[in-house]
Amino acid sequence: MADLDHSLSWLEALKWDVDGMIPAIAQDAGGRVVMFAYMNRESLQETVRCGYAVYWSRSRRRLWRKGEESGHVQKVLSIRTDCDGDVLLLAIEQVGGIACHTGRESCFFNELRGEYWVPSDPVLKNPEEIYAK
């Protein structure tokens, strides 16, 4: 793999997949990975512009402003890329302390124990209360 080309503009230096996406990991200030999603050029540019995480929703086929329904937005403190420029790491402040649609702090709450995945983190808020309309 080639290292990041520092002679290109910040957006062009990144390695986008065939669908124009790049994986993005959201990590809170304490170091916990709270979420994984994809970004396209537009969502990354909007994230940089507004200072809050904006992802590309592959299921909805549109920009997804994290917290647009739940209010659990992610304030972006910094954005880094790996040496190859094919993954982003967002240092974020998770407003409200809930990143997952299940009402947990992190989307990474299932832990392998023996031969089974077991939820290892508590639900902080019932999703029906978060997404009540």
Side-chain angles (χ1 to χ4, degrees):
M1 288 273 167
D3 287 345
L4 190 66
D5 186 342
H6 296 282
S7 68
L8 297 173
S9 74
W10 69 274
L11 203 55
E12 294 307 313
L14 297 173
K15 311 265 184 335
W16 304 92
D17 72 13
V18 295
D19 296 320
M21 302 289 162
I22 192 167
I25 301 164
Q27 182 179 40
D28 70 18
R32 181 161 189 196
V33 173
V34 296
M35 212 183 83
F36 169 84
Y38 286 92
M39 293 180 134
N40 63 9
R41 283 174 175 81
E42 184 182 6
S43 66
L44 180 54
Q45 287 173 307
E46 181 61 11
T47 296
V48 169
R49 186 195 69 74
C50 73
Y52 289 87
V54 179
Y55 300 103
W56 177 258
S57 172
R58 295 181 304 160
S59 60
R60 298 177 211 155
R61 311 270 323 136
R62 66 171 177 84
L63 290 182
W64 163 43
R65 295 176 183 282
K66 174 67 176 144
E68 64 190 15
E69 293 178 35
S70 67
H72 299 136
V73 297
Q74 293 175 342
K75 182 177 174 149
V76 177
L77 307 174
S78 71
I79 302 173
R80 292 177 179 244
T81 188
D82 68 333
C83 56
D84 295 323
D86 61 2
V87 177
L88 298 174
L89 179 63
L90 281 63
I92 57 101
E93 175 188 325
Q94 183 62 58
V95 176
I98 296 173
C100 186
H101 74 281
T102 65
R104 292 177 171 89
E105 177 185 15
S106 170
C107 294
F108 294 92
F109 61 86
N110 288 305
E111 185 176 354
L112 184 60
R113 294 189 188 157
E115 297 182 20
Y116 300 96
W117 291 105
V118 178
S120 60
D121 294 351
V123 172
L124 302 177
K125 189 169 186 181
N126 184 327
E128 291 177 7
E129 295 174 31
I130 296 171
Y131 299 101
K133 294 189 178 184

